[in-house]
Amino acid sequence: MSEIVVPTAAEMQALGARLAELLQAGDLVLLTGGLGAGKTTLVQGIGAGLGVGGPVVSPTFVIARVHRGGRLPLVHVDAYRLGSVAEVDDLDLDAALEESVTVVEWGEGLVEDLAGDRLEVRLERSSDPADETRRVTLAAVGDRWARADFPS
Ligand SMILES: Nc1ncnc2c1ncn2[C@@H]1O[C@H](COP(=O)(O)OP(=O)(O)O)[C@@H](O)[C@H]1O
Ligand SMILES: [Mg+2]
């Protein structure tokens, strides 16, 4: 478990890029945090770190996008409108999850079964609306992450 204070959006992207260095094929990263917490901003950094093509944007009208061209394919899922894990499996993503890195926004309580091992990332805003600082907590579940050297 590690807790990181992230003052700006640029630093959130930089954190994503550092996280990307740790990622391997088959990894699942679960992002939780309210609207505007910085989930998509973090995924932009992960995409940049993997070297994928195409802009990583909030998949508001699409449930998932696959970004290729990087070290590993990045599957970016917005689970906000999904009701069950079966729907995630049914997305027919045209990308094998075991060969990709899958990052899910709003996946809490929904996609844990996709992989027993996962990295859970919680993003929280300050209670002061004028304070843009985000607090990011990383919690690893499973053997996969036992020896990972998390950014701090
Ligand atoms: N420290 C910070 N970390 C992340 N985003 C920040 C930060 N400070 C300001 N922002 C801004 O907050 C917004 C976060 O939006 P977004 O990443 O789409 O959130 P979410 O996907 O969680 O709804 C962006 O406009 C981003 O520029
Ligand atoms: Mg988002």
Side-chain angles (χ1 to χ4, degrees):
M1 180 95 112
S2 114
E3 199 181 275
I4 304 160
V5 172
V6 183
T8 66
E11 283 171 80
M12 187 65 82
Q13 292 183 343
L15 172 62
R18 292 205 302 281
L19 268 181
E21 291 174 22
L22 302 177
L23 294 174
Q24 300 173 1
D27 280 349
L28 174 66
V29 180
L30 216 62
L31 309 183
T32 58
L35 199 64
K39 301 182 294 298
T40 300
T41 304
L42 184 70
V43 185
Q44 288 168 348
I46 292 174
L50 291 172
V52 302
V56 174
V57 294
S58 232
T60 307
F61 300 106
V62 213
I63 287 165
R65 277 203 190 85
V66 184
H67 296 271
R68 298 180 194 280
R71 184 169 66 81
L72 295 164
L74 170 64
V75 178
H76 180 199
V77 182
D78 192 327
Y80 192 59
R81 286 183 197 75
L82 290 182
S84 74
V85 65
E87 291 178 53
V88 180
D89 270 338
D90 279 353
L91 286 177
D92 196 14
L93 287 172
D94 189 31
L97 298 189
E98 60 274 16
E99 290 163 12
S100 311
V101 167
T102 304
V103 182
V104 184
E105 299 190 33
W106 303 104
E108 197 174 27
L110 198 59
V111 300
E112 282 85 351
D113 291 345
L114 282 181
D117 291 2
R118 58 192 184 269
L119 182 62
E120 298 185 349
V121 182
R122 177 170 298 278
L123 300 90
E124 288 162 294
R125 297 190 65 139
S126 159
S127 53
D128 173 2
D131 182 357
E132 292 285 23
T133 299
R134 307 300 199 261
R135 195 168 296 276
V136 177
T137 311
L138 302 174
V141 180
D143 293 343
R144 151 69 183 100
W145 300 97
R147 282 169 301 281
D149 190 12
F150 290 121
S152 52

